[in-house]
Amino acid sequence: MIFTLIIICEIGFWVLLAAGLAARYLLKRPKLGAALLLCEPLLEIVLLVATAVDLKNGAEPSWHHGLAALYIGYTVGHGHRTVKWLDGHAAHRLGGAPPPPKPPRYGVARVAHEGKVWVGTLVAAIIATGLLLLAVRYVGDADSAEPLKAWILNAWKVTGFHGVYVLSYLIWPRRAPRTDHAPVPPGRR
């Protein structure tokens, strides 16, 4: 049941996002669009409550319950950035706004950008870990809660790998390509 609900929540996220952006830019109803976009956190609340009820009703803790916690953590850590990114593209394509700025490609600006994305992953791991620890405590049986504890380790592995990726930009920053063309002095064109 939980795995199916995760899929439903993911589909619901994209349906609400598309409906909110369509209302905002195609129907020219920004308040309706904002209301639809604000409904998205309700999906995570539904998933959280359903997971708790499932465990309370005696379901054996499984990887589905751990995945639900990671899904909620990811949504908290990266959901706002994802919605903002898609909103910028929808405003450009459907609303006539200028194209959204692209992330920086080189130097310190790129490191800072990647660092902000990593902070989202860190927040996701913290939220997921908190939810998983609450679920372990809620279940009460340490042996049956092992699948939940394994997800804690997975969340921090992903966070660590992502952190190493970001550090690679700091250690070996990408540099803008050199242009070997000397600027043409004024009047010599």
Side-chain angles (χ1 to χ4, degrees):
M1 170 184 115
I2 296 300
F3 186 69
T4 303
L5 191 56
I6 292 170
I7 293 170
I8 290 169
C9 285
E10 180 66 14
I11 292 169
F13 173 84
W14 292 104
V15 167
L16 280 173
L17 183 59
L21 294 176
R24 182 179 278 183
Y25 297 109
L26 293 176
L27 300 178
K28 308 290 188 215
R29 302 210 35 214
K31 288 183 181 178
L32 175 61
L36 289 168
L37 292 174
L38 287 173
C39 287
E40 289 182 350
L42 294 175
L43 295 172
E44 279 65 40
I45 293 170
V46 166
L47 181 59
L48 181 63
V49 169
T51 302
V53 167
D54 193 41
L55 290 171
K56 183 177 190 252
N57 289 340
E60 190 70 27
S62 70
W63 68 273
H64 301 111
H65 298 101
L67 183 62
L70 258 61
Y71 176 80
I72 293 168
Y74 180 86
T75 302
V76 172
H78 291 287
H80 177 73
R81 187 176 51 79
T82 303
V83 170
K84 186 177 174 182
W85 181 81
L86 285 169
D87 185 52
H89 285 279
H92 170 61
R93 301 251 182 209
L94 304 173
K102 293 184 178 184
R105 295 178 65 192
Y106 309 107
V108 175
R110 177 62 185 235
V111 174
H113 169 77
E114 293 296 336
K116 287 177 187 174
V117 175
W118 180 79
V119 168
T121 302
L122 179 65
V123 167
I126 290 168
I127 296 294
T129 298
L131 291 173
L132 288 164
L133 288 174
L134 285 172
V136 167
R137 187 176 180 137
Y138 188 66
V139 169
D141 180 13
D143 291 335
S144 67
E146 281 305 315
L148 301 176
K149 292 177 186 176
W151 279 101
I152 294 172
L153 181 61
N154 289 335
W156 289 103
K157 281 181 186 176
V158 168
T159 304
F161 289 137
H162 190 185
V164 168
Y165 173 75
V166 173
L167 278 175
S168 74
Y169 279 100
L170 187 61
I171 296 169
W172 300 287
R174 291 187 180 165
R175 297 187 190 338
R178 275 189 56 201
T179 56
D180 291 336
H181 307 303
V184 178
R188 300 232 12 200
R189 294 180 188 201

